[in-house]
Amino acid sequence: MSTATATSPLMPTYPRPPVTLVRGEGTRVWDADGREYLDFLTGLAVCSLGHSHPKVAAAVAEQASTLLHVSNLYGNAIGPEVAATLDRLLGTPAWADGWTGDGPRGRVFFANSGAEANECAIKLARRFGGRGRHVVVSALGSFHGRTMAALAATGQPAKHEPFQPMPEGFRHVAWNDLDALAGALDPTVAAVLLEPLQGEGGVNPATAEFVQGARRLCDERGALLMFDEVQTGLGRTGRWFGHQRFDVVPDVVTMAKALGNGVPVGACWARAEVAEVFAPGDHGSTFGGQPFAMAAARAVLAEMEAIDAPARATRQGTRLAEALADVPGVASVRGMGLLLGAELAPGLAAPGVAAACLAAGLIVNPVTPTTLRFAPPLTVSDDEIDAAVAVLTTVITEATAAASEPTAAEPGGGAP
Ligand SMILES: *Cc1c(COP(=O)(O)O)cnc(C)c1O
């Protein structure tokens, strides 16, 4: 056992953190020694409005001294308001539910995290499908969370292995492979669960053919189409929700990360016809939808609408993607809006480059051994983008020079 894991009072579920952060403002964070960093990961795409946003801070502070929690046995005024806003932003067309104008087109369950939002979606799919129609099909390379059902839906067999046996009723198909999906959709399938763009899996966008084909297949075979928008939702991809880029109508949409700008909150939205299969007692949460998290979400959504967050993601995402593509050592750039992956040229390792960026004052994430993930706040400025790209350029230039130096020149080195 390493010293770090032996001495920390925390369970060793994460590697030893390289720095301890104590303060944030906008795109910047500071560590315990007062060093400043540009945060181009934003707490894993969470603080989309930037750190310590004044309007979110004020809403949270006011709610903390007004009413934090009442449980879901009693009503609070804010939850239904947030749910109605999400329903509007999802913009499901009226025909999808035979909507008559006297109620919401979809309904929302509030949870506390992305995994929990997906648990709700999975239970909803099973309740909708009924006995014998309970299988959830998801994609290889996907990420849906760490709780047992969300883990089972996650298409990464290595993450399942230490925890076998997995819960029953999950099936995986190759990403963007419509034939594979068609082959997997037998009468036991209740739902297909897809990310519009795989985030943790390496910033891999879905193709329009795959998403639109999935919609068609689900309609033909009576399965629900559910989008996991925990990372892609709420403006990050340049639309309110990533699936909106593909012009498909979803049955279920989950979200979390950006919804509270750092306050834990998740949500599962479903078309009214689907949502109403839940009866009291079918699902619940002590903390879900509490006034505290709802006050944060309400402030976040109001600010996102005020600044047109999706338009910002498109504009700044274009600037960042173009600048990254020009960095020597970046082979290609993929993604949507401000969720971008830079594929490094052969010979460069993403973990090493990310560590060197951190040392130089830039936070980025090595999402795969060869890919850096960029998810800055949607409020990121032109200057901040230019500064971040300058740091990356210097780091990669130095890494490339070091790699091409003769071994004998290494300090204390000398080939045997
Ligand atoms: C982060 C993430 C999750 C899990 O969210 P938690 O809040 O960590 O439980 C689920 N799905 C996707 C697509 C994610 O990016």
Side-chain angles (χ1 to χ4, degrees):
M1 193 184 285
S2 79
T3 312
T5 52
T7 56
S8 173
L10 301 178
M11 289 195 192
T13 54
Y14 284 88
R16 184 183 146 91
V19 296
T20 297
L21 301 173
V22 295
R23 189 165 69 86
E25 194 183 317
T27 308
R28 283 158 208 280
V29 290
W30 287 265
D31 71 15
D33 300 324
R35 290 201 58 216
E36 183 180 308
Y37 302 84
L38 275 171
D39 187 358
F40 271 54
L41 182 59
T42 322
L44 293 164
V46 166
C47 301
S48 282
L49 294 174
H51 293 282
S52 308
H53 191 282
K55 288 186 185 159
V56 181
V60 163
E62 191 191 330
Q63 196 61 42
S65 54
T66 304
L67 184 70
L68 281 180
H69 180 88
V70 292
S71 89
N72 288 300
L73 301 178
Y74 308 97
N76 78 72
I78 320 175
E81 198 185 317
V82 175
T85 303
L86 292 175
D87 189 49
R88 175 166 53 77
L89 296 179
L90 276 154
T92 308
W95 50 259
D97 260 315
W99 187 70
T100 53
D102 58 355
R105 295 170 189 192
R107 299 208 211 170
V108 175
F109 176 87
F110 286 112
N112 310 291
S113 66
E116 277 185 54
N118 286 333
E119 292 282 335
C120 177
I122 292 162
K123 284 180 71 177
L124 190 58
R126 287 192 175 199
R127 195 79 167 83
F128 189 83
R131 280 283 158 86
R133 193 177 186 101
H134 64 280
V135 171
V136 171
V137 177
S138 51
L140 287 170
S142 64
F143 183 80
H144 299 296
R146 301 285 192 165
T147 56
M148 286 306 287
L151 178 62
T154 292
Q156 302 186 40
K159 287 191 165 63
H160 295 170
E161 231 14 74
F163 304 103
Q164 295 287 7
M166 282 289 107
E168 204 266 329
F170 294 86
R171 198 174 289 167
H172 301 98
V173 297
W175 181 230
N176 281 335
D177 185 337
L178 201 52
D179 291 339
L181 185 63
L185 290 187
D186 65 25
T188 66
V189 173
V192 173
L193 175 63
L194 298 175
E195 296 160 271
L197 175 164
Q198 292 184 337
E200 305 302 309
V203 193
N204 305 311
T207 61
E209 186 199 6
F210 185 59
V211 173
Q212 289 164 0
R215 178 70 277 177
R216 200 170 53 245
L217 285 168
C218 285
D219 286 342
E220 282 167 19
R221 318 236 176 134
L224 299 175
L225 180 57
M226 316 199 294
F227 288 104
D228 179 344
E229 299 250 18
V230 168
Q231 187 158 163
T232 51
L234 301 165
R236 181 146 297 274
T237 64
R239 301 290 179 88
W240 283 110
F241 294 92
H243 72 266
Q244 292 169 337
R245 295 179 71 110
F246 301 112
D247 271 332
V248 291
V249 175
D251 296 305
V252 175
V253 178
T254 59
M255 65 200 85
K257 288 189 165 94
L259 184 53
N261 209 54
V263 172
V265 53
C268 175
W269 171 97
R271 287 196 296 116
E273 183 203 336
V274 176
E276 69 198 20
V277 301
F278 267 164
D282 278 344
H283 197 45
S285 168
T286 298
F287 289 122
Q290 57 172 310
F292 181 60
M294 294 297 98
R298 177 171 63 182
V300 166
L301 293 173
E303 181 65 8
M304 283 186 164
E305 290 203 83
I307 67 168
D308 196 349
R312 290 229 183 186
T314 298
R315 193 171 62 238
Q316 301 308 77
T318 301
R319 185 183 184 93
L320 178 57
E322 287 175 1
L324 288 174
D326 285 343
V327 173
V330 170
S332 60
V333 179
R334 57 181 184 264
M336 299 173 180
L338 273 174
L339 187 49
L340 297 171
E343 189 67 29
L344 299 177
L348 288 167
V353 171
C357 283
L358 184 72
L362 172 65
I363 296 177
V364 292
N365 170 246
V367 69
T368 77
T370 56
T371 314
L372 292 175
R373 172 173 45 175
F374 294 79
L378 308 185
T379 52
V380 68
S381 71
D382 290 355
D383 287 351
E384 288 164 343
I385 289 174
D386 297 349
V389 172
V391 171
L392 179 69
T393 304
T394 305
V395 162
I396 289 184
T397 306
E398 284 171 5
T400 309
S404 61
E405 271 171 26
T407 317
E410 275 176 17

